[in-house]
Amino acid sequence: MANVLLLNGSPHAHGAIDLALTEVAQTLQECGLTTEIVHIGQQDIRGCIACGRCGVLHHCVFNDAVNALAPKFEAADALIVGSPVYYASANGTLTNLLDRLFYSTPFDKTMKVGAAVVSCRRGGATFDQLNKYFTISGMPVASSQYWNSIHGNNAQEAAQDAEGLQVMRTLGRNVAFLVKSIALGKEAMGLPEKEKRVGTNFIR
C-alpha cells in the first residue's frame, strides 16, 4: 500500500500546520493511502556544514532526526512538508533538516510526489522555498486549487479558513491520484531514462 510521510516543521505541535496536515492526511487515508505525521519543529537540528562525509557514509555525520527520518523518506511514495512563515521563509529547524535530509540520502527520489503546505498570517515566500527541494530531486510537485496555504495566526483562526481547509482536501486527493498514477506508470513503463549527472560550477 502506498504511504505518505508528512513533516510538521512548526514549533507548535498542535498549531495551524498540524491542522492543515491532519486535513490532508485524513483525505489521503480516505483515498486508500497510509500516512504518518512527524513533528520536528521543536527538535535540535543543526545545519549542514558541507563536510562531504555523507558521500562516504551514505548518511549524515550528525546522528539526529535526519538519519532517523531517512528510511521513512526512502520508503515513502510522497513527502508533504509543512511550515509556518517566518520572515518570508520556512522555520529554520525545518530548513536545517531538509538541507541535510535531501543532500545526505543516496537513494533515488525520482517520481516520489512532493508537496509543501504553509500557514501564514498574510503572505510570504515559504511555499516557493520548500518546493525547490522537490524540483531539484526529480520529484513531481502536487498542486491544489490554490497555493497550498492556510491562513491564521493559530489553529483556532486557521480552523475558520474554509477555503484553506478545502485546499488541503483537494491537495490530498491530488497527491493520492499522482501516487497511484505514477505506480501504474512505473509498472507499465518503468522510470524515465537517466543520463549520467553533469555538474558545472561556472557560467561562460
Side-chain angles (χ1 to χ4, degrees):
M1 181 181 289
N3 73 93
V4 181
L5 177 63
L6 301 96
L7 300 182
N8 180 355
S10 171
H12 304 289
H14 303 292
I17 282 295
D18 178 63
L19 179 79
L21 291 179
T22 299
E23 195 79 6
V24 177
Q26 288 174 347
T27 305
L28 288 165
Q29 291 163 21
E30 291 168 4
C31 293
L33 278 63
T34 63
T35 64
E36 180 181 4
I37 300 176
V38 180
H39 179 230
I40 57 93
Q42 285 191 344
Q43 296 193 41
D44 186 13
I45 302 172
R46 64 175 301 159
C48 178
I49 61 169
C51 67
R53 291 289 293 157
C54 56
V56 177
L57 300 172
H58 305 301
H59 60 76
C60 187
V61 70
F62 300 118
N63 194 25
D64 56 15
V66 171
N67 290 338
L69 281 171
K72 293 179 183 288
F73 184 18
E74 183 173 14
D77 298 287
L79 176 68
I80 300 177
V81 179
S83 176
V85 175
Y86 292 155
Y87 287 92
S89 60
N91 177 15
T93 299
L94 178 64
T95 300
N96 286 347
L97 181 135
L98 293 176
D99 283 352
R100 290 171 48 216
L101 180 65
F102 273 79
Y103 192 76
S104 68
T105 47
F107 57 82
D108 189 5
K109 302 167 185 67
T110 304
M111 295 300 149
K112 289 181 183 287
V113 176
V117 167
V118 301
S119 68
C120 49
R121 192 180 70 85
R122 294 185 68 84
T126 305
F127 182 57
D128 293 334
Q129 175 192 2
L130 293 176
N131 281 327
K132 289 179 173 66
Y133 289 97
F134 312 134
T135 58
I136 202 173
S137 304
M139 297 172 61
V141 178
S143 61
S144 184
Q145 65 196 48
Y146 192 72
W147 300 315
N148 303 338
S149 61
I150 195 164
H151 290 270
N153 202 39
N154 52 51
Q156 291 71 35
E157 288 184 3
Q160 300 173 55
D161 182 8
E163 181 181 0
L165 292 171
Q166 186 179 63
V167 164
M168 297 306 143
R169 293 191 297 273
T170 302
L171 175 63
R173 287 188 287 269
N174 288 352
V175 168
F177 178 83
L178 278 174
V179 166
K180 293 175 182 178
S181 298
I182 289 169
L184 289 172
K186 279 178 165 179
E187 188 177 325
M189 300 175 291
L191 289 173
E193 180 183 348
K194 278 198 169 186
E195 296 184 14
K196 184 176 179 181
R197 185 176 178 88
V198 175
T200 54
N201 301 318
F202 55 85
I203 297 174
R204 288 182 179 168

